[in-house]
PDB file of all heavy atoms in Angstrom:
ATOM      1  N   GLY A  88     155.271  98.615  69.085  1.00 95.00           N
ATOM      2  CA  GLY A  88     154.738  98.988  70.395  1.00 95.00           C
ATOM      3  C   GLY A  88     153.270  99.361  70.406  1.00 95.00           C
ATOM      4  O   GLY A  88     152.551  99.215  69.415  1.00 95.00           O
ATOM      5  N   LEU A  89     152.854  99.863  71.534  1.00 96.00           N
ATOM      6  CA  LEU A  89     151.457 100.279  71.715  1.00 96.00           C
ATOM      7  C   LEU A  89     151.116 101.513  70.884  1.00 96.00           C
ATOM      8  O   LEU A  89     149.943 101.778  70.626  1.00 96.00           O
ATOM      9  CB  LEU A  89     151.176 100.537  73.200  1.00 96.00           C
ATOM     10  CG  LEU A  89     151.220  99.309  74.099  1.00 96.00           C
ATOM     11  CD1 LEU A  89     151.107  99.723  75.568  1.00 96.00           C
ATOM     12  CD2 LEU A  89     150.128  98.322  73.730  1.00 96.00           C
ATOM     13  N   GLN A  90     152.138 102.247  70.450  1.00 96.00           N
ATOM     14  CA  GLN A  90     151.894 103.424  69.605  1.00 96.00           C
ATOM     15  C   GLN A  90     151.171 103.020  68.319  1.00 96.00           C
ATOM     16  O   GLN A  90     150.474 103.825  67.713  1.00 96.00           O
ATOM     17  CB  GLN A  90     153.223 104.127  69.290  1.00 96.00           C
ATOM     18  CG  GLN A  90     153.075 105.459  68.598  1.00 96.00           C
ATOM     19  CD  GLN A  90     152.295 106.481  69.425  1.00 96.00           C
ATOM     20  OE1 GLN A  90     152.421 106.547  70.649  1.00 96.00           O
ATOM     21  NE2 GLN A  90     151.481 107.277  68.755  1.00 96.00           N
ATOM     22  N   ALA A  91     151.288 101.748  67.913  1.00 95.00           N
ATOM     23  CA  ALA A  91     150.600 101.248  66.715  1.00 95.00           C
ATOM     24  C   ALA A  91     149.084 101.306  66.868  1.00 95.00           C
ATOM     25  O   ALA A  91     148.361 101.244  65.877  1.00 95.00           O
ATOM     26  CB  ALA A  91     151.040  99.816  66.423  1.00 95.00           C
ATOM     27  N   LEU A  92     148.598 101.449  68.078  1.00 96.00           N
ATOM     28  CA  LEU A  92     147.158 101.583  68.301  1.00 96.00           C
ATOM     29  C   LEU A  92     146.670 103.007  68.039  1.00 96.00           C
ATOM     30  O   LEU A  92     145.476 103.222  67.855  1.00 96.00           O
ATOM     31  CB  LEU A  92     146.808 101.172  69.732  1.00 96.00           C
ATOM     32  CG  LEU A  92     147.151  99.733  70.126  1.00 96.00           C
ATOM     33  CD1 LEU A  92     146.900  99.529  71.614  1.00 96.00           C
ATOM     34  CD2 LEU A  92     146.373  98.745  69.285  1.00 96.00           C
ATOM     35  N   VAL A  93     147.590 103.959  68.034  1.00 95.00           N
ATOM     36  CA  VAL A  93     147.236 105.373  67.867  1.00 95.00           C
ATOM     37  C   VAL A  93     147.579 105.864  66.463  1.00 95.00           C
ATOM     38  O   VAL A  93     146.783 106.551  65.825  1.00 95.00           O
ATOM     39  CB  VAL A  93     147.950 106.238  68.929  1.00 95.00           C
ATOM     40  CG1 VAL A  93     147.607 107.708  68.757  1.00 95.00           C
ATOM     41  CG2 VAL A  93     147.601 105.766  70.329  1.00 95.00           C
ATOM     42  N   THR A  94     148.782 105.524  65.980  1.00 94.00           N
ATOM     43  CA  THR A  94     149.223 105.940  64.645  1.00 94.00           C
ATOM     44  C   THR A  94     149.683 104.712  63.867  1.00 94.00           C
ATOM     45  O   THR A  94     150.201 103.752  64.444  1.00 94.00           O
ATOM     46  CB  THR A  94     150.388 106.946  64.724  1.00 94.00           C
ATOM     47  OG1 THR A  94     151.469 106.352  65.448  1.00 94.00           O
ATOM     48  CG2 THR A  94     149.965 108.232  65.410  1.00 94.00           C
ATOM     49  N   LYS A  95     149.512 104.771  62.551  1.00 95.00           N
ATOM     50  CA  LYS A  95     149.863 103.628  61.702  1.00 95.00           C
ATOM     51  C   LYS A  95     151.357 103.345  61.825  1.00 95.00           C
ATOM     52  O   LYS A  95     152.187 104.222  61.598  1.00 95.00           O
ATOM     53  CB  LYS A  95     149.490 103.905  60.256  1.00 95.00           C
ATOM     54  CG  LYS A  95     149.729 102.708  59.358  1.00 95.00           C
ATOM     55  CD  LYS A  95     149.238 102.942  57.954  1.00 95.00           C
ATOM     56  CE  LYS A  95     149.480 101.681  57.113  1.00 95.00           C
ATOM     57  NZ  LYS A  95     148.957 101.832  55.764  1.00 95.00           N
ATOM     58  N   PRO A  96     151.685 102.095  62.147  1.00 95.00           N
ATOM     59  CA  PRO A  96     153.094 101.759  62.342  1.00 95.00           C
ATOM     60  C   PRO A  96     153.797 101.476  61.009  1.00 95.00           C
ATOM     61  O   PRO A  96     153.174 101.113  60.021  1.00 95.00           O
ATOM     62  CB  PRO A  96     153.030 100.500  63.187  1.00 95.00           C
ATOM     63  CG  PRO A  96     151.752  99.840  62.770  1.00 95.00           C
ATOM     64  CD  PRO A  96     150.801 100.981  62.478  1.00 95.00           C
ATOM     65  N   SER A  97     155.084 101.638  61.029  1.00 93.00           N
ATOM     66  CA  SER A  97     155.900 101.211  59.895  1.00 93.00           C
ATOM     67  C   SER A  97     156.654  99.959  60.332  1.00 93.00           C
ATOM     68  O   SER A  97     156.630  99.583  61.501  1.00 93.00           O
ATOM     69  CB  SER A  97     156.874 102.319  59.502  1.00 93.00           C
ATOM     70  OG  SER A  97     157.710 102.641  60.596  1.00 93.00           O
ATOM     71  N   GLY A  98     157.325  99.316  59.416  1.00 91.00           N
ATOM     72  CA  GLY A  98     158.095  98.129  59.767  1.00 91.00           C
ATOM     73  C   GLY A  98     157.281  96.863  59.646  1.00 91.00           C
ATOM     74  O   GLY A  98     156.177  96.852  59.103  1.00 91.00           O
ATOM     75  N   PHE A  99     157.865  95.795  60.177  1.00 92.00           N
ATOM     76  CA  PHE A  99     157.239  94.485  60.072  1.00 92.00           C
ATOM     77  C   PHE A  99     156.664  94.084  61.417  1.00 92.00           C
ATOM     78  O   PHE A  99     157.298  94.344  62.445  1.00 92.00           O
ATOM     79  CB  PHE A  99     158.288  93.452  59.615  1.00 92.00           C
ATOM     80  CG  PHE A  99     157.715  92.098  59.398  1.00 92.00           C
ATOM     81  CD1 PHE A  99     157.033  91.806  58.231  1.00 92.00           C
ATOM     82  CD2 PHE A  99     157.836  91.113  60.365  1.00 92.00           C
ATOM     83  CE1 PHE A  99     156.482  90.549  58.037  1.00 92.00           C
ATOM     84  CE2 PHE A  99     157.288  89.862  60.174  1.00 92.00           C
ATOM     85  CZ  PHE A  99     156.614  89.575  59.009  1.00 92.00           C
TER      86      PHE A  99
END
Side-chain angles (χ1 to χ4, degrees):
L89 293 173
Q90 188 61 38
L92 300 173
V93 179
T94 58
K95 185 175 181 177
S97 59
F99 184 80

